[in-house]
Amino acid sequence: MEGAIGEVDHLAGERATAQFDVDRMKVAWAGSRHAVDVADRMARLVASDPVFRKDNRTMLPRTELFKDTLKKAAHAWKRIVELRLTEEEANLLRLYVDQPGYVDLHWGMFVPAIKGQGTEEQQKKWLPLAYKFQIIGCYAQTELGHGSNVQGLETTATFDPKTDEFVIHSPTLTSSKWWPGGLGKASTHAIVYARLITEGKDYGIHGFIVQLRSLEDHYPLPGVTLGDIGGKFGSGAYNSMDNGVLRFDHVRIPRDQMLMRLSQVTKEGKYVHSDVPKQLLYGTMVYVRQTIVADASKGLSRAVCIAVRYSAIRKQFGSQVGGPETQVLNYKTQQSRLFPLLASAYAFRFVGEWLKWLYTDVTHKLEAKDFSTLQEAHACTAGLKAVTTSVTSDAIEECRKLCGGHGYLNSSGLPELFAVYVPACTYEGDNVVLLLQVARFLMKTVSQLASGKQPVGTTAYMGNIQYLMQCTCGVTTAEDWLNPAAIKEVFEARALRMAVNCAQNISKAPSQEEGFYELSPDLLEVAVAHIQMIIVTKFIEKLEQDIPGEGVKAQLRNLCNVYALHLLHKHLGDFLATGCITARQGALANQQLGRLYAQVRPNAVALVDAFNYTDHYLGSVLGRYDGDVYPALYEEAWKDPLNRTVVPDGYHDYLRPLLKQQLNLSSRL
């Protein structure tokens, strides 16, 4: 989108070979012309503001990095207010600032928790304060000793009817809240999850709004011990976030600071369920996971954009001695590693779009007290979160390798991108734990098929069990693999047959739980097969929509086929073992995959241009829009603090004595 060093577009030749309208592809990627325009405007607003500079971020000491984060957050809010930005524009501005900080948890977890779990009265009291940043909130659930096992949390909230207060306490070291973003230094309040105890009975985990710091001087309140948990993986990256530790020593809060939408405690200490169904919590969960899947497409597309552009610029070796060197992007090995990642970026984008629809659908059904699809929606979103974040974290690292040695430089943008993204595999549910939850739901769905209960949503294909368990793939030529119906059928058959096989093996175990335990590795593969089927299906459904421009649709069709056939190639053993395809058909799929790479090649640079990322947002000398990589690499090297002096600090103390043979040697042998 812009460059700074040279005036020449070194990738102009690549862009000239594109067989589609890039502007129309931008619309297909973003979802609408409006979305393209708003994103473009906010990206340029951030890129043009010197306060949002980030090229020196990986060189800053932690204290300076955190202060820089506070500065950017305050400036972003100032610009949002001054320009009277809409919620959509404000969210995009924060996205393009591209620096993890307390605001992420304030808007992403604290505010939604109050909206979803607070009563109308509580929302009227707390949300205006949060919306104006008169308070800063975080989400304190995870503890030192418990993460995924929420029911094992140890923090207690004991009701005292004499004072009409809850007493929040950390009874053990392992009950310390550990990891909440924004907690370490910035937050004034937290949604604290604790075991509710009243009348001597433990009612399990509930949320409480707890003030942590004074609104006058920011010091911790009496009984509150808190701080930052320390440096994290990578330079810059997530170290801009103040992940915190928090302990309570019998801290008292008013009774009405328990989030009471779903249940409450009376002044007398009676625990009472409200008329609001607890299933409403699913809405917030679907929303959070939908944003995580959307973030996966952003992280993956950034890495792919860098790798594709650099691979088009980089030249190594040649077919003849003394002849011109070959663009790295022309090597088939590079294409076979990189183009499936490009296809995955588009696939994750489109399944993320569908998840927005699912969130709206779930919300409407909850309002109508229709809970028939909730379990399926939970399993679907859990699985998509797990698969997309795992693939994306691995793919960012693969893109670093695809960029050779230069990809290891911080200035490539890839090391920091990896370090800042990889926690997504753990937060909001460990990916293995989530996939096992998906597998349990699939086993339950399979067990109910015999009773005639029809599966819903993304499991509806399982209702076609009679056909899918015995159908044979009709592919006879490589071109047959371009038929979306054939692709969809083999992915459905594979997913169902793996699920049925696993269910049958579990039924042979002494008990169901023992079967689940012993077959847990197989169950993970069942869950992944189901989620991959969903992503392939949603990509195919995207192509059935009205997409302007035949060239755009043709390229998306190519990417869809690359995504599906690469998965088939990667998991060929599953498709063969379940009898979905033959070895010959597998070979034909691989043959067609190679042809598809050749079709993607002339369009690759334009396909990443369609992401519409500024150089500022990419943060990579290798991924520059103009491709002027080598001067940028050279210039960036001299910015390192180590180059501020010609002779390094320590020369006279350590290097000179060594070189001059003047080390003060001990006389003892």
Side-chain angles (χ1 to χ4, degrees):
M1 187 174 286
E2 80 273 3
I5 290 179
E7 297 296 327
V8 178
D9 181 0
H10 295 266
L11 289 169
E14 288 288 330
R15 295 183 170 107
T17 64
Q19 299 160 336
F20 65 95
D21 187 315
V22 176
D23 284 335
R24 287 186 173 182
M25 186 65 82
K26 288 179 181 179
V27 174
W29 170 265
S32 68
R33 170 54 61 185
H34 167 78
V36 172
D37 292 342
V38 174
D40 190 58
R41 192 166 64 252
M42 291 301 104
R44 291 182 182 277
L45 177 65
V46 170
S48 63
D49 194 323
V51 174
F52 296 131
R53 173 191 176 190
K54 64 178 187 179
D55 60 308
N56 64 338
R57 189 165 58 194
T58 58
M59 306 175 198
L60 296 177
R62 180 101 196 278
T63 51
E64 290 184 32
L65 176 64
F66 183 68
K67 186 176 180 180
D68 181 64
T69 305
L70 297 181
K71 176 183 177 181
K72 287 175 178 172
H75 187 64
W77 182 245
K78 177 174 179 286
R79 298 302 287 149
I80 288 168
V81 174
E82 288 174 343
L83 298 173
R84 298 181 180 180
L85 299 185
T86 64
E87 184 178 353
E88 177 189 20
E89 292 169 330
N91 288 337
L92 283 167
L93 184 142
R94 284 190 284 264
L95 167 72
Y96 291 124
V97 169
D98 189 38
Q99 190 150 315
Y102 67 87
V103 293
D104 302 344
L105 283 301
H106 178 84
W107 293 115
M109 298 298 292
F110 182 74
V111 168
I114 295 175
K115 282 183 175 180
Q117 301 171 46
T119 62
E120 286 188 20
E121 292 78 11
Q122 289 175 319
Q123 292 183 43
K124 287 177 182 177
K125 176 180 179 180
W126 296 101
L127 289 179
L129 299 173
Y131 287 153
K132 295 178 182 178
F133 271 124
Q134 290 176 290
I135 61 174
I136 297 170
C138 65
Y139 189 85
Q141 177 174 293
T142 300
E143 295 178 354
L144 187 59
H146 291 88
S148 297
N149 182 16
V150 177
Q151 298 308 313
L153 297 179
E154 300 175 82
T155 303
T156 57
T158 307
F159 184 65
D160 182 355
K162 297 177 182 177
T163 59
D164 198 28
E165 294 173 319
F166 282 101
V167 181
I168 313 295
H169 185 59
S170 306
T172 64
L173 178 65
T174 51
S175 69
S176 306
K177 295 298 179 184
W178 192 272
W179 275 114
L183 171 64
K185 295 296 176 181
S187 293
T188 62
H189 291 68
I191 304 293
V192 175
Y193 286 87
R195 313 194 73 84
L196 191 158
I197 300 171
T198 183
E199 296 184 323
K201 184 177 179 180
D202 184 337
Y203 285 90
I205 307 303
H206 291 70
F208 301 83
I209 302 174
V210 183
Q211 184 173 347
L212 308 175
R213 291 180 169 95
S214 166
L215 295 178
E216 296 302 320
D217 58 15
H218 210 60
Y219 274 86
L221 297 182
V224 175
T225 300
L226 76 173
D228 188 271
I229 61 173
K232 299 172 286 286
F233 181 60
S235 302
Y238 222 79
N239 287 295
S240 57
M241 179 71 80
D242 54 326
N243 297 92
V245 54
L246 168 65
R247 288 181 59 77
F248 296 104
D249 184 5
H250 299 92
V251 173
R252 290 178 173 269
I253 63 170
R255 178 175 58 89
D256 64 6
Q257 286 181 213
M258 168 190 172
L259 292 175
M260 293 187 177
R261 188 179 184 189
L262 302 181
S263 58
Q264 57 185 276
V265 172
T266 67
K267 290 182 179 179
E268 297 74 29
K270 299 294 182 184
Y271 182 84
V272 181
H273 286 287
S274 72
D275 295 332
V276 178
K278 65 179 181 180
Q279 288 91 339
L280 283 174
L281 294 178
Y282 278 86
T284 302
M285 178 189 64
V286 171
Y287 170 77
V288 171
R289 288 178 179 163
Q290 171 260 313
T291 61
I292 292 175
V293 173
D295 288 344
S297 75
K298 294 185 185 80
L300 178 51
S301 59
R302 288 174 71 178
V304 168
C305 185
I306 294 167
V308 166
R309 286 177 178 171
Y310 179 61
S311 295
I313 290 294
R314 184 73 166 177
K315 296 179 180 179
Q316 291 290 291
F317 306 109
S319 57
Q320 300 177 7
V321 177
E325 289 189 294
T326 302
Q327 288 172 281
V328 171
L329 194 55
N330 285 340
Y331 286 107
K332 298 299 182 181
T333 50
Q334 192 82 350
Q335 294 175 15
S336 66
R337 294 165 64 193
L338 183 52
F339 290 169
L341 304 184
L342 173 59
S344 297
Y346 275 88
F348 293 175
R349 177 73 181 190
F350 297 145
V351 81
E353 279 184 6
W354 171 75
L355 277 183
K356 290 181 181 178
W357 171 86
L358 181 66
Y359 170 65
T360 303
D361 183 63
V362 166
T363 301
H364 290 161
K365 286 180 177 176
L366 287 173
E367 291 171 353
K369 296 187 177 180
D370 175 3
F371 310 132
S372 59
T373 63
L374 276 185
Q375 283 189 318
E376 183 273 329
H378 166 73
C380 170
T381 55
L384 283 169
K385 183 271 180 188
V387 168
T388 57
T389 56
S390 292
V391 169
T392 297
S393 61
D394 291 344
I396 295 171
E397 169 61 6
E398 183 70 2
C399 286
R400 182 194 66 78
K401 295 175 185 175
L402 286 163
C403 290
H406 295 335
Y408 194 64
L409 286 168
N410 278 335
S411 60
S412 78
L414 292 166
E416 188 180 21
L417 180 59
F418 176 75
V420 83
Y421 185 79
V422 76
C425 295
T426 305
Y427 61 61
E428 289 309 303
D430 175 86
N431 285 353
V432 170
V433 173
L434 291 179
L435 287 173
L436 288 174
Q437 290 176 8
V438 175
R440 281 186 177 273
F441 170 72
L442 293 175
M443 294 302 98
K444 180 180 177 182
T445 303
V446 168
S447 69
Q448 293 174 337
L449 291 175
S451 66
K453 183 176 180 180
Q454 286 299 305
V456 297
T458 57
T459 58
Y461 71 99
M462 290 185 164
N464 197 20
I465 185 170
Q466 296 299 327
Y467 174 76
L468 291 174
M469 289 300 291
Q470 53 81 37
C471 66
T472 56
C473 177
V475 167
T476 58
T477 67
E479 289 75 17
D480 288 344
W481 279 118
L482 300 179
N483 181 355
I487 290 175
K488 188 168 180 284
E489 182 178 287
V490 295
F491 271 85
E492 288 179 348
R494 168 219 185 193
L496 180 59
R497 293 179 192 187
M498 289 177 69
V500 170
N501 290 345
C502 219
Q504 290 173 344
N505 290 334
I506 288 173
S507 68
K508 299 172 185 176
S511 69
Q512 187 181 63
E513 281 306 309
E514 191 171 337
F516 269 98
Y517 176 77
E518 291 296 333
L519 292 168
S520 54
D522 296 339
L523 286 165
L524 288 177
E525 294 180 10
V526 168
V528 169
H530 173 68
I531 298 302
Q532 289 174 343
M533 182 278 302
I534 293 173
I535 299 173
V536 168
T537 299
K538 297 308 170 187
F539 206 151
I540 291 172
E541 290 177 359
K542 174 71 176 181
L543 294 173
E544 294 170 353
Q545 298 174 11
D546 182 23
I547 299 174
E550 186 54 38
V552 169
K553 195 163 190 173
Q555 293 309 312
L556 291 179
R557 193 180 299 114
N558 284 342
L559 291 176
C560 180
N561 290 330
V562 167
Y563 180 74
L565 295 184
H566 177 261
L567 286 179
L568 191 152
H569 173 68
K570 184 177 179 180
H571 300 278
L572 186 58
D574 290 346
F575 289 93
L576 292 174
T578 52
C580 295
I581 64 172
T582 65
R584 170 63 179 161
Q585 289 168 333
L588 290 172
N590 200 38
Q591 183 181 334
Q592 184 58 52
L593 191 56
R595 295 175 184 173
L596 287 165
Y597 292 155
Q599 293 176 42
V600 171
R601 170 62 188 93
N603 299 283
V605 169
L607 284 167
V608 299
D609 285 349
F611 301 150
N612 203 28
Y613 295 148
T614 62
D615 283 352
H616 177 276
Y617 182 57
L618 274 185
S620 170
V621 294
L622 303 186
R624 293 172 55 92
Y625 180 84
D626 64 8
D628 203 11
V629 168
Y630 297 118
L633 274 168
Y634 187 81
E635 182 180 289
E636 202 66 27
W638 294 105
K639 295 179 182 178
D640 193 281
L642 200 58
N643 285 324
R644 288 174 185 165
T645 60
V646 176
V647 177
D649 291 341
Y651 167 75
H652 291 287
D653 292 330
Y654 307 110
L655 276 181
R656 182 179 172 81
L658 179 66
L659 293 167
K660 297 297 183 181
Q661 303 294 294
Q662 294 174 351
L663 290 176
N664 187 16
L665 302 175
S666 171
S667 60
R668 289 177 295 174
L669 296 178

